Amino acid sequence: RAELVQRTGLARATVGSVVYDLIDAGVVHESANTGPTGARTGRPPQMLSLAPDAGYAIGIDIGHDHVRATLTDLVGAPRWDHSVALAVDDDPEHALRTAAELTEAAIAETGVAQAKIIGLGLGIACPVDASTGELHAEDIMAGWVGVRPTDDLSERTGLPVQIINDANA
């Protein structure tokens, strides 16, 4: 907590209140191990860490020849990973349907409640207009020009979706 006060500049009481709220919500837990004491006197600091099962995220990678989905826990450990070989350059409908099906399979096969999934991140092998989410792929993925995969996947999965060019991801 002292380190959080130092790094954030927030008041000790504010940090304490937020930490207790996060512990009550099951997002953070106190570790059985204590932190380094150094030259400090008094009680050793209690270490805090994220609870891995407090939330999950799904990553989708749409490349030229595949659609891949990974479900990770809150600390980024993979819990499910599957890839489907698929020529996607001229068939966004098939690729997005496959991405949604992989998302459903990840949820079903891991038993993770959809309510615990904080969102879906999509990396795609073409330029993305950051303001609209629209793809500009004339020379790369011609069939995707004007497609907005975030809208489509959000509608198909019921999850919030963020998109980024795969090279930037």
Side-chain angles (χ1 to χ4, degrees), residues 3 14 16 32 43 45 48 54 65 67 71 75 79 86 98 107-108 120 128-129 139 148 154 161-162:
E3 186 177 347
T14 301
R43 231 173 33 169
L48 301 168
D65 60 358
V67 177
L71 184 139
V75 297
R79 299 293 180 98
L86 184 66
T98 300
I107 294 167
L120 189 153
V128 177
D129 182 323
D139 297 331
R148 292 183 180 188
S154 183
V161 179
Q162 295 288 319

Side-chain angles (χ1 to χ4, degrees), residues 72-143:
T72 66
D73 63 21
L74 194 59
V75 297
R79 299 293 180 98
W80 187 93
D81 191 318
H82 190 73
S83 186
V84 173
L86 184 66
V88 304
D89 289 1
D90 295 315
D91 196 355
E93 169 60 30
H94 191 191
L96 292 169
R97 185 175 63 249
T98 300
E101 289 168 354
L102 287 171
T103 298
E104 290 174 15
I107 294 167
E109 292 176 23
T110 60
V112 169
Q114 186 163 340
K116 283 196 148 193
I117 298 176
I118 58 175
L120 189 153
L122 171 63
I124 193 159
C126 65
V128 177
D129 182 323
S131 63
T132 66
E134 191 171 296
L135 302 182
H136 300 284
E138 293 85 3
D139 297 331
I140 301 171
M141 294 170 72

Side-chain angles (χ1 to χ4, degrees), residues 2 9 13 27 33 48 56 76 89 137 149 155:
V27 176
N33 300 325
L48 301 168
Y56 297 86
D89 289 1
E155 185 176 315

